[in-house]
Amino acid sequence: MQYKAVKGFKDILPYQMGTWNRIESEAKRIFELFGFNEIRIPVLETAELFARGIGQDTDIVSKEMYTLEDRKGNFLAMRPEATASVMRAYIEHKLYNVSPLQKLFTIGPMFRYERPQKGRRRQFHQINVEIIGDQGPRSDSELIFMIMYFFSSLGLNDLVLNINSLGCLNCRGPFRAELKSYLGRHFEQLCPDCQKRMETNPLRVFDCKVETCNQILKDAPSILDFLCSDCARHFDSIRSYLEELQVDFVVNSHLMRGLDYYTRTTFEVQTKEMGAQNAVAGGGRYDNLMKEFGGPDSPAIGFAIGVERVVELLEENDVQKEEGPDIFLAPLGKEAEDKAFIWLQELRKRGLKCEMEYKSLGLKAQMRHADRLKARKVLIVGDNELIKGKGIVRDMISKEQTEIPLDNVVDELIGVFNR
Ligand code: HAM
């Protein structure tokens, strides 16, 4: 019996980890510059948290959630996203007492039961960022500036930033009514899902992937024509900050995003290279969610980056910078092997990256292995060298060989690298 990973769940193999680590460490470096702190949240939450936060009519909640009942009959869900959990943690631990303004990020796996395809998995990873406690357009602009800086620092400069405003609840009412009446005039051409959505939650029609629905939406009313003066001013400020910061963007009034909690700003970073799954990151403002969860009246905004999609973009032109060991120890014979084994551990403790065979091999086989690992230098110690008290250090690039004394060999080798 051979076991296989579950459909849509993938291993991340050692040769891929270089790119993953580069993305995560670059994110952490940049988030620190912008004053964010890390938070870790559980993978399982009560299913209701997501239904309430993301919205019952969204695809994520109604079709894609991994839910389970535990032994006590609690109805749980594997998190499909991080925002609702971060809000729950902010309220549960009263983080607002520490400081009402919290800038938080979290990195980890999310789960959605979608049909797997290129750029789409059932377990995928997000780098998720939230600013809680500020409602002005500067936090929106800062967050958007930061995400674009993150992508360009990874060398991804061909991405397109889409922005929109969904207004507040006051702007939303008249827009919904107008949209509903427009959709009503095309009712027969809408897919059965959208016919239902039109009644329950017309904005969700914008999530539909059916071509005929997309065609109908092309001439749908624009939310931007319904913004109240406060929301319009908020959106104008963001655009002018972004212009001053020289961040290119496209205003896309159809960018509703597939989650119900958004108010005002939404944004998505898209690539032209990935077909249907073209969003590498998306986010927006959600000023009412905290209140909805019974917390303080704290406005918030955030985004999440889809790590697999960024990995895919990078892998094509990413040269893996695999660093070989500084030194490969090549002892010959039991006595030399035992000594070298102790030196090996001490050298590692002193900060040198070193390798040695676990089993006894001849010199040729050891040199071949050192070569394959791309070791910079090899220390050769056989019976002769032990008698003379001098080992041979071979530089694997210049092929030059020098002798070094074996008493105090650890210090001697450290010295070779500090020269
Ligand atoms: P989202 O747009 O649902 O937003 O997901 C964010 C990103 O996660 C997407 O742009 C995409 O790159 C990636 N992603 C989503 N589903 C999959 C999948 N099945 N396979 C691979 N990658 C995927 C959110 O999750 C919001 N919580 C973002 C947010 C944070 N809004 C405010 N704060």
Side-chain angles (χ1 to χ4, degrees), residues 59-60 64 112-122 124 126 151 159-160 162 207-210 257 268-282 304-313 316:
D59 281 357
I60 297 179
E64 298 167 2
R112 295 183 192 175
Y113 192 84
E114 294 189 86
R115 197 161 48 79
Q117 55 173 245
K118 190 173 164 60
R120 194 161 76 189
R121 300 207 183 145
R122 290 181 175 169
F124 59 98
Q126 283 188 346
F151 284 123
L159 300 171
V160 181
N162 283 250
D207 305 336
C208 187
K209 313 260 169 6
V210 177
R257 310 253 311 119
E268 209 161 84
V269 184
Q270 299 175 351
T271 162
K272 293 173 212 131
E273 286 173 40
M274 227 177 263
Q277 307 311 317
N278 64 353
V280 287
I305 299 166
V307 184
E308 279 77 0
R309 294 185 190 175
V310 182
V311 169
E312 261 185 53
L313 286 182
E316 275 152 35

Side-chain angles (χ1 to χ4, degrees), residues 57-58 66 93 98 109 131 142 153-154 200 212 220 277 292 304 308 342 349 370 377 383 411:
D57 304 318
T58 58
Y66 278 90
H93 305 287
V98 182
I131 299 180
E142 179 177 275
S153 78
L154 287 175
T200 55
T212 43
Q277 307 311 317
E292 180 76 17
E308 279 77 0
I342 303 302
K349 240 169 86 179
K377 292 186 192 292
D383 290 341
D411 283 338

Side-chain angles (χ1 to χ4, degrees), residues 20 24 60 79-83 105-112 123-130 257 259 261 280-282 303-308:
W20 281 77
E24 288 182 15
I60 297 179
R79 59 180 185 196
E81 60 117 44
T83 309
F105 75 94
T106 189
I107 303 180
M110 310 292 153
F111 306 86
R112 295 183 192 175
Q123 175 177 315
F124 59 98
H125 294 73
Q126 283 188 346
I127 298 176
N128 185 88
V129 177
E130 318 285 355
R257 310 253 311 119
L259 305 98
Y261 49 58
V280 287
F303 66 76
I305 299 166
V307 184
E308 279 77 0

Side-chain angles (χ1 to χ4, degrees), residues 327 329 342-352 354 379 393 404-419:
I327 183 134
L329 305 188
I342 303 302
W343 299 337
L344 178 74
Q345 315 309 335
E346 285 177 5
L347 284 166
R348 285 170 172 164
K349 240 169 86 179
R350 299 277 297 271
L352 280 194
C354 6
L379 173 71
V393 176
I404 58 161
L406 288 179
D407 50 313
N408 237 347
V409 67
V410 170
D411 283 338
E412 291 289 340
L413 283 172
I414 301 281
V416 167
F417 282 91
N418 287 341
R419 241 173 251 148

